[in-house]
Amino acid sequence: MSRQHLRVNRFGFAEYEDIIEISKNVDISELKGALKSIVEFALSEDSDLLDSLSDGAQSDFMVPLGMSARMLSSGDYSEMELLSAACTVRYCAEPHLSEFPDELAQMLSRLPR
């Protein structure tokens, strides 16, 4: 797949040409639900996930996840913006999966690459 950069969207996520291809194989409503579940799991006030992560995992994963949470709460985003956010969250989480609870790792595996 092509990795040609198209732009950085208004939520701060890079959009690439290959996201158009990814969109053909993704159910957007399922993707939205999966990303919302990850946001709720990781950013819940009851979660002690943040304290359990290394500094690298916090900065690599929690920053794009927080950006995704803001995007989702706005309710005003395109399919391309949602796909860019989901792909970024997964990409940034992958190096740190061993630090995450199994449930979170499984949720992340549902996001596209």
Side-chain angles (χ1 to χ4, degrees):
M1 278 197 231
S2 169
R3 288 303 299 169
Q4 174 137 1
H5 177 260
L6 297 176
R7 70 186 183 117
V8 173
N9 67 36
R10 62 195 163 122
F11 297 104
F13 296 105
E15 294 179 359
Y16 294 89
E17 204 171 71
D18 61 350
I19 290 180
I20 296 166
E21 287 300 314
I22 292 170
S23 71
K24 295 175 184 176
N25 301 313
V26 171
D27 179 316
I28 294 299
S29 62
E30 281 185 28
L31 177 62
K32 178 181 172 183
L35 190 56
K36 276 187 168 186
S37 294
I38 293 166
V39 166
E40 290 168 2
F41 182 91
L43 299 180
S44 159
E45 289 183 21
D46 298 333
S47 173
D48 59 351
L49 177 67
L50 184 61
D51 294 333
S52 71
L53 298 177
S54 67
D55 290 343
Q58 287 181 29
S59 63
D60 290 350
F61 173 65
M62 297 305 268
V63 171
L65 190 64
M67 293 166 56
S68 296
R70 284 189 297 280
M71 182 194 72
L72 289 167
S73 70
S74 80
D76 178 32
Y77 49 85
S78 68
E79 288 183 8
M80 178 80 99
E81 290 167 334
L82 180 65
L83 279 163
S84 296
C87 289
T88 300
V89 167
R90 180 165 180 171
Y91 177 83
C92 292
E94 284 187 335
H96 307 285
L97 287 177
S98 64
E99 295 183 48
F100 298 155
D102 289 340
E103 182 180 357
L104 179 57
Q106 289 175 4
M107 286 190 274
L108 287 162
S109 72
R110 294 177 21 210
L111 299 179
R113 290 185 170 174

